[in-house]
Amino acid sequence: MPGEWPASTLRGMNGTLILLLLTGAVIALWLDALSARELAGRRSRELCEKADLQWLDQSVVLQRIWLTRVNGRLAFGRKYRFEVSFDGSDRHRASISMSGKRVINYALPHREPD
């Protein structure tokens, strides 16, 4: 019949389509991870400013990732760590946990009384 595709061509097209979909999904996940890391960096800087701490190295590092639900939809929960200083001569670890785009927990060091 005119207009029919051979079965081998259709199998090849299905493989190509699956490859394109997988590539698109990987790119989407990668862009989401970059966006989440950037947001975690902004939020950690804000926390440091409020706590009168210096945010060191201007970066956050992904420590843990898990699946969670946000408004009934699956999302990634992420925990990032970063370093802070009280006066520039010390280093302390801190962390921030996010569910989707929301901060759900954070841990900052406390100053020891003199």
Side-chain angles (χ1 to χ4, degrees):
M1 287 193 164
E4 286 189 28
W5 293 77
S8 61
T9 301
L10 290 178
R11 278 193 299 276
M13 289 174 65
N14 286 340
T16 302
L17 181 61
I18 289 171
L19 180 63
L20 285 173
L21 289 173
L22 286 174
T23 302
V26 167
I27 290 171
L29 288 171
W30 180 64
L31 291 174
D32 182 60
L34 288 177
S35 173
R37 185 171 150 229
E38 184 179 317
L39 181 61
R42 281 197 310 266
R43 296 293 184 257
S44 63
R45 264 193 313 274
E46 292 167 3
L47 288 169
C48 287
E49 287 173 8
K50 289 179 185 176
D52 196 29
L53 294 169
Q54 294 177 17
W55 189 56
L56 301 177
D57 304 328
Q58 288 73 49
S59 67
V60 295
V61 176
L62 182 64
Q63 188 173 3
R64 183 175 167 233
I65 189 166
W66 67 93
L67 282 175
T68 185
R69 290 210 178 264
V70 177
N71 298 327
R73 298 180 67 185
L74 278 178
F76 287 110
R78 295 175 171 97
K79 182 177 183 178
Y80 297 91
R81 66 178 166 82
F82 55 99
E83 293 189 342
V84 299
S85 175
F86 293 120
D87 57 12
S89 66
D90 56 347
R91 289 180 96 82
H92 302 276
R93 283 204 169 174
S95 65
I96 185 169
S97 296
M98 303 187 67
S99 179
K101 299 195 183 307
R102 232 183 56 209
V103 174
I104 56 172
N105 193 14
Y106 64 91
L108 297 174
H110 297 284
R111 292 181 193 262
E112 302 258 338
D114 293 331

